[in-house]
Amino acid sequence: MPWPLTGRQDRPPEDDRPMTDPIVDIASLFCSRLCHDLLSPVGAIGNGLELMADEDDPAMRARCLELIAESTRAATDKLKFYRLAFGAAGSFGDQMDCPELLRAIEGISGGKVEIAWAVEQRTLARRTAKVLLNLAILGVDALPRGGTLTIAAEEAGGVGEVVVRAEGPRLAADQQVLSALAGTDPQPTSRNAAAWLAARLAGPPGAVQVAEQDGVLMLGARLA
Protein backbone atom coordinates (compact mmCIF):
# COMPACT_ATOMS: atom_id res chain seq x y z
CA MET A 1 0.00 0.00 0.00
CA PRO A 2 1.39 3.46 -0.85
CA TRP A 3 2.29 5.63 2.11
CA PRO A 4 0.01 8.57 2.92
CA LEU A 5 0.59 11.92 1.23
CA THR A 6 0.87 13.50 4.67
CA GLY A 7 3.05 12.16 7.44
CA ARG A 8 6.23 10.09 7.08
CA GLN A 9 5.71 7.30 9.59
CA ASP A 10 4.72 4.73 6.94
CA ARG A 11 7.34 5.71 4.36
CA PRO A 12 9.97 3.02 3.66
CA PRO A 13 13.24 3.79 5.50
CA GLU A 14 15.17 3.66 2.19
CA ASP A 15 13.35 6.80 1.12
CA ASP A 16 15.02 8.85 3.84
CA ARG A 17 18.49 8.26 2.44
CA PRO A 18 19.99 10.84 0.08
CA MET A 19 19.06 9.96 -3.47
CA THR A 20 22.18 10.67 -5.49
CA ASP A 21 23.70 9.05 -8.55
CA PRO A 22 27.42 9.79 -9.14
CA ILE A 23 26.92 9.67 -12.92
CA VAL A 24 24.12 12.24 -12.75
CA ASP A 25 26.17 14.31 -10.31
CA ILE A 26 29.27 14.36 -12.52
CA ALA A 27 27.26 15.38 -15.58
CA SER A 28 25.63 18.20 -13.60
CA LEU A 29 28.95 19.35 -12.17
CA PHE A 30 30.67 19.53 -15.55
CA CYS A 31 27.70 21.39 -16.98
CA SER A 32 27.90 23.86 -14.09
CA ARG A 33 31.65 24.34 -14.59
CA LEU A 34 31.19 24.93 -18.30
CA CYS A 35 28.51 27.55 -17.65
CA HIS A 36 30.59 29.20 -14.91
CA ASP A 37 33.76 29.39 -17.00
CA LEU A 38 31.96 30.68 -20.10
CA LEU A 39 29.90 33.30 -18.29
CA SER A 40 32.77 35.79 -18.01
CA PRO A 41 34.05 35.75 -21.63
CA VAL A 42 30.57 35.60 -23.15
CA GLY A 43 29.44 38.46 -20.90
CA ALA A 44 32.50 40.47 -21.97
CA ILE A 45 31.55 39.94 -25.62
CA GLY A 46 28.09 41.35 -24.90
CA ASN A 47 29.56 44.32 -23.04
CA GLY A 48 31.91 45.05 -25.92
CA LEU A 49 29.06 45.03 -28.43
CA GLU A 50 26.99 47.36 -26.23
CA LEU A 51 29.89 49.80 -25.94
CA MET A 52 30.44 49.79 -29.70
CA ALA A 53 26.79 50.58 -30.33
CA ASP A 54 27.12 53.87 -28.40
CA GLU A 55 30.74 54.73 -29.20
CA ASP A 56 31.85 56.99 -32.05
CA ASP A 57 35.50 57.41 -31.09
CA PRO A 58 37.64 55.23 -33.44
CA ALA A 59 40.19 54.43 -30.72
CA MET A 60 37.51 53.26 -28.31
CA ARG A 61 35.81 51.19 -31.00
CA ALA A 62 39.14 49.55 -31.77
CA ARG A 63 39.59 48.74 -28.06
CA CYS A 64 36.10 47.25 -27.97
CA LEU A 65 36.99 45.04 -30.92
CA GLU A 66 40.12 43.88 -29.07
CA LEU A 67 38.02 43.04 -26.02
CA ILE A 68 35.55 41.07 -28.14
CA ALA A 69 38.37 39.19 -29.91
CA GLU A 70 40.11 38.30 -26.61
CA SER A 71 36.87 37.12 -25.02
CA THR A 72 35.88 35.11 -28.07
CA ARG A 73 39.25 33.39 -28.07
CA ALA A 74 38.97 32.60 -24.33
CA ALA A 75 35.49 31.11 -24.76
CA THR A 76 36.59 29.08 -27.78
CA ASP A 77 39.66 27.73 -25.96
CA LYS A 78 37.56 26.56 -23.02
CA LEU A 79 35.00 24.89 -25.28
CA LYS A 80 37.71 23.07 -27.22
CA PHE A 81 39.30 21.77 -24.02
CA TYR A 82 36.04 20.70 -22.39
CA ARG A 83 34.95 18.96 -25.58
CA LEU A 84 38.10 16.82 -25.53
CA ALA A 85 38.40 16.29 -21.77
CA PHE A 86 34.77 15.84 -20.77
CA GLY A 87 32.92 15.20 -24.03
CA ALA A 88 31.15 11.99 -25.02
CA ALA A 89 33.74 9.35 -25.78
CA GLY A 90 31.72 7.99 -28.69
CA SER A 91 32.22 11.19 -30.70
CA PHE A 92 35.94 10.46 -31.20
CA GLY A 93 37.95 7.64 -32.77
CA ASP A 94 40.13 5.22 -30.84
CA GLN A 95 43.08 7.62 -31.05
CA MET A 96 43.40 11.32 -30.22
CA ASP A 97 45.88 13.68 -31.84
CA CYS A 98 48.63 14.81 -29.43
CA PRO A 99 49.24 18.25 -31.03
CA GLU A 100 45.51 18.92 -30.59
CA LEU A 101 45.77 17.92 -26.92
CA LEU A 102 48.68 20.33 -26.47
CA ARG A 103 46.78 23.20 -28.11
CA ALA A 104 43.79 22.51 -25.86
CA ILE A 105 45.93 22.61 -22.71
CA GLU A 106 47.72 25.78 -23.81
CA GLY A 107 44.31 27.35 -24.41
CA ILE A 108 43.20 26.91 -20.78
CA SER A 109 46.57 27.78 -19.22
CA GLY A 110 45.62 31.45 -19.06
CA GLY A 111 49.02 32.55 -20.33
CA LYS A 112 50.43 32.35 -16.79
CA VAL A 113 51.40 28.68 -16.89
CA GLU A 114 54.24 27.54 -19.16
CA ILE A 115 53.57 24.14 -20.74
CA ALA A 116 56.59 21.82 -21.11
CA TRP A 117 55.40 19.11 -23.50
CA ALA A 118 57.25 15.79 -23.34
CA VAL A 119 55.01 13.58 -25.47
CA GLU A 120 56.79 12.17 -28.52
CA GLN A 121 53.95 10.06 -29.90
CA ARG A 122 51.70 11.54 -32.56
CA THR A 123 48.53 10.03 -31.07
CA LEU A 124 47.35 8.52 -27.80
CA ALA A 125 44.53 6.11 -27.07
CA ARG A 126 41.36 8.00 -26.22
CA ARG A 127 41.31 6.83 -22.59
CA THR A 128 44.96 7.78 -22.02
CA ALA A 129 44.37 11.17 -23.65
CA LYS A 130 41.36 11.94 -21.46
CA VAL A 131 43.31 11.05 -18.31
CA LEU A 132 46.12 13.33 -19.51
CA LEU A 133 43.73 16.23 -20.10
CA ASN A 134 42.02 15.89 -16.73
CA LEU A 135 45.32 15.65 -14.86
CA ALA A 136 46.55 18.66 -16.84
CA ILE A 137 43.63 20.86 -15.81
CA LEU A 138 44.23 19.86 -12.18
CA GLY A 139 47.84 20.95 -12.61
CA VAL A 140 46.76 24.30 -14.08
CA ASP A 141 44.28 24.80 -11.22
CA ALA A 142 47.10 24.14 -8.73
CA LEU A 143 49.15 27.05 -10.19
CA PRO A 144 47.03 30.17 -9.52
CA ARG A 145 50.16 32.36 -9.52
CA GLY A 146 51.63 30.74 -12.62
CA GLY A 147 54.47 28.30 -13.00
CA THR A 148 55.49 25.39 -15.18
CA LEU A 149 53.39 22.37 -16.08
CA THR A 150 55.42 19.47 -17.45
CA ILE A 151 53.42 16.78 -19.23
CA ALA A 152 54.76 13.41 -20.34
CA ALA A 153 52.97 10.37 -21.74
CA GLU A 154 53.74 7.20 -23.63
CA GLU A 155 52.06 3.97 -24.64
CA ALA A 156 53.72 0.61 -25.16
CA GLY A 157 52.55 -2.97 -25.00
CA GLY A 158 48.96 -2.01 -24.31
CA VAL A 159 49.91 0.10 -21.27
CA GLY A 160 49.63 3.88 -21.13
CA GLU A 161 51.53 6.08 -18.69
CA VAL A 162 50.88 9.74 -17.95
CA VAL A 163 52.87 12.07 -15.70
CA VAL A 164 51.97 15.69 -14.92
CA ARG A 165 54.32 17.86 -12.85
CA ALA A 166 53.17 21.25 -11.56
CA GLU A 167 55.72 23.63 -10.08
CA GLY A 168 55.33 27.28 -9.18
CA PRO A 169 54.97 29.88 -6.42
CA ARG A 170 52.10 29.40 -3.98
CA LEU A 171 51.21 25.91 -5.19
CA ALA A 172 47.57 25.25 -4.29
CA ALA A 173 46.99 21.50 -4.04
CA ASP A 174 43.40 20.89 -2.93
CA GLN A 175 43.20 17.96 -0.53
CA GLN A 176 39.71 17.06 -1.72
CA VAL A 177 41.10 16.79 -5.25
CA LEU A 178 43.98 14.59 -4.08
CA SER A 179 41.57 12.31 -2.21
CA ALA A 180 39.43 11.92 -5.32
CA LEU A 181 42.51 11.02 -7.37
CA ALA A 182 43.44 8.38 -4.81
CA GLY A 183 39.93 6.93 -5.01
CA THR A 184 39.14 7.63 -1.36
CA ASP A 185 36.48 10.26 -2.07
CA PRO A 186 33.63 8.37 -3.78
CA GLN A 187 31.32 11.32 -4.38
CA PRO A 188 32.05 13.95 -7.06
CA THR A 189 31.83 17.60 -6.00
CA SER A 190 32.37 20.93 -7.73
CA ARG A 191 35.98 20.91 -6.49
CA ASN A 192 37.02 17.39 -7.40
CA ALA A 193 34.98 16.58 -10.53
CA ALA A 194 37.97 16.43 -12.92
CA ALA A 195 39.94 14.38 -10.39
CA TRP A 196 36.98 12.03 -9.87
CA LEU A 197 36.73 11.47 -13.63
CA ALA A 198 40.48 10.99 -14.09
CA ALA A 199 40.62 8.40 -11.31
CA ARG A 200 37.78 6.36 -12.80
CA LEU A 201 39.15 6.55 -16.31
CA ALA A 202 42.56 5.40 -15.05
CA GLY A 203 41.19 2.23 -13.48
CA PRO A 204 40.93 0.75 -9.98
CA PRO A 205 41.85 2.74 -6.84
CA GLY A 206 45.58 3.32 -6.83
CA ALA A 207 45.93 3.68 -10.60
CA VAL A 208 46.66 7.39 -10.06
CA GLN A 209 49.64 8.27 -7.89
CA VAL A 210 50.00 11.65 -6.16
CA ALA A 211 53.06 13.25 -4.55
CA GLU A 212 53.45 16.79 -3.19
CA GLN A 213 56.68 18.18 -1.79
CA ASP A 214 58.58 21.48 -1.74
CA GLY A 215 56.23 23.35 -4.04
CA VAL A 216 55.97 20.54 -6.58
CA LEU A 217 52.88 18.46 -7.33
CA MET A 218 53.35 15.18 -9.21
CA LEU A 219 50.38 13.33 -10.71
CA GLY A 220 50.91 10.02 -12.46
CA ALA A 221 48.66 7.34 -13.91
CA ARG A 222 49.30 3.88 -15.34
CA LEU A 223 46.54 2.53 -17.55
CA ALA A 224 46.49 -1.15 -18.43
Side-chain angles (χ1 to χ4, degrees), residues 102-115:
L102 173 57
R103 289 192 295 270
I105 295 168
E106 289 175 335
I108 55 98
S109 66
K112 297 184 299 182
V113 177
E114 178 184 353
I115 308 298

Side-chain angles (χ1 to χ4, degrees), residues 17-38:
R17 295 180 304 185
M19 296 184 65
T20 180
D21 181 337
I23 302 303
V24 174
D25 288 347
I26 199 71
S28 301
L29 290 167
F30 283 136
C31 183
S32 295
R33 174 158 189 168
L34 177 62
C35 294
H36 175 274
D37 287 359
L38 287 180

Side-chain angles (χ1 to χ4, degrees), residues 85 127 130-131 134 196-203 223:
R127 180 165 157 248
K130 283 185 172 290
V131 170
N134 280 278
W196 191 92
L197 179 61
R200 276 145 189 81
L201 286 172
L223 297 82

